Amino acid sequence: MQQHNSDPTRQQAGGATASVRILLVEDDDAIRRSVGMALDRYGYEVSAAPDGLTGLEMFRDGQHDLLLLDVMLPHLDGIGLCRRIRETSQAPVLMMSARGDSLDVVAGLEAGADDYVVKPVDTTVLVARIRTLLRRATFAGPPRADGRPSDDGAVLTFRNLTVDTRGLEVRVDGEPLALTPTELRLLLEFVAAPGIVLERQTLLRQVWDYGWDGDSRVVDLAVQRLRRKIGAENIETVRGFGYKFRR
């Protein structure tokens, strides 16, 4: 099998590696085969389902490092499937929209998806997004808005919110809080720069690894989800610019 310039593996105990497992849920046979073959060429281990309910069963029966979901699916659509996944898992979710339709995109991000791609899918774009989500899910150290590492062992407290930037643990009122990798990375950007306005494009570069101007809706919807979990009062909207974490 031809291997590309990537290392689609994850670490296991003892230093061993295993292939990254992706669950692809797509009802179009041709797209499902072509996307599956493309990801296989990059070394990913792909399981595929033709509809939402089958995808949900496969998700529950196995362990997957990332989920790639079409929006329009029979029996259970991609939005509903994403919501069901988020009930028990914080695994990265990448949505595929046939039209890049605004309502589809917003609904997917609100349901808990981390990012989206528009069909027909460009393989290089798809793999780049997958790599970014996987890096975000396994990053070992906390980022800062200025690119410098934060202090080792720093435990930051803001009102009822505690963030362990080394242990990557978040608590609200003393209780552990489950965040998706995207939400955690976003929160770490905020707490590394309290009181400083972070523009949407800056957050796209720092959190989503966009090297170009991307869709700022992914930022807005991720901030909205994060606010629901940590308290809306912690993140202030600065109209026309971006967001600021309250000191």
Side-chain angles (χ1 to χ4, degrees):
M1 179 186 299
Q2 179 184 1
Q3 294 297 320
H4 294 247
N5 295 325
S6 62
D7 183 19
T9 60
R10 52 187 167 76
Q11 288 293 123
Q12 290 184 323
T17 60
S19 296
V20 170
R21 294 186 294 253
I22 296 177
L23 176 59
L24 166 65
V25 188
E26 165 63 62
D27 64 319
D28 186 295
D29 291 341
I31 296 176
R32 189 169 64 250
R33 286 196 299 270
S34 64
V35 172
M37 290 174 62
L39 295 179
D40 180 72
R41 288 196 297 271
Y42 277 85
Y44 296 106
E45 181 181 327
V46 181
S47 302
D51 62 77
L53 287 180
T54 302
L56 182 61
E57 292 177 2
M58 292 177 66
F59 161 73
R60 289 173 171 170
D61 290 342
Q63 293 184 341
H64 301 92
D65 302 293
L66 182 140
L67 298 103
L68 182 57
L69 313 178
D70 185 27
V71 171
M72 302 300 293
L73 293 170
H75 310 311
L76 176 65
D77 67 20
I79 309 301
L81 177 55
C82 185
R83 289 196 182 98
R84 300 287 286 275
I85 289 168
R86 282 288 174 256
E87 290 174 359
T88 59
S89 173
Q90 306 301 326
V93 175
L94 182 60
M95 302 293 296
M96 296 188 294
S97 171
R99 301 177 304 278
D101 182 81
S102 177
L103 293 178
D104 285 351
V105 170
V106 170
L109 295 172
E110 286 182 334
D114 296 281
D115 204 349
Y116 75 97
V117 292
V118 177
K119 295 193 294 185
V121 177
D122 182 299
T123 301
T124 57
V125 172
L126 175 62
V127 171
R129 300 286 177 85
I130 288 173
R131 288 173 179 168
T132 295
L133 290 177
L134 291 172
R135 283 198 303 270
R136 197 182 308 157
T138 58
F139 75 96
R144 285 177 57 106
D146 58 9
R148 294 182 289 112
S150 57
D151 295 336
D152 286 349
V155 178
L156 308 177
T157 300
F158 304 87
R159 294 163 292 282
N160 64 334
L161 176 69
T162 301
V163 182
D164 181 345
T165 63
R166 183 172 174 82
L168 303 180
E169 295 180 349
V170 180
R171 293 178 179 269
V172 173
D173 294 325
E175 296 297 322
L177 180 66
L179 297 175
T180 68
T182 298
E183 292 163 352
L184 177 58
R185 185 81 178 251
L186 182 60
L187 178 60
L188 289 172
E189 286 293 337
F190 279 130
V191 300
I196 297 175
V197 177
L198 300 180
E199 296 181 350
R200 289 175 175 84
Q201 294 302 324
T202 298
L203 291 170
L204 276 172
R205 289 193 300 269
Q206 295 295 111
V207 179
W208 282 264
D209 290 346
Y210 277 94
W212 60 92
D213 287 347
D215 187 347
S216 64
R217 287 176 298 184
V218 299
V219 176
D220 296 334
L221 272 298
V223 169
Q224 184 181 107
R225 296 201 316 261
L226 184 59
R227 277 173 165 161
R228 286 199 293 264
K229 293 184 176 183
I230 69 170
E233 69 281 0
N234 286 309
I235 303 175
E236 177 184 348
T237 299
V238 181
R239 295 189 181 278
F241 292 94
Y243 299 97
K244 178 171 64 175
F245 192 82
R246 288 186 55 220
R247 293 181 183 274

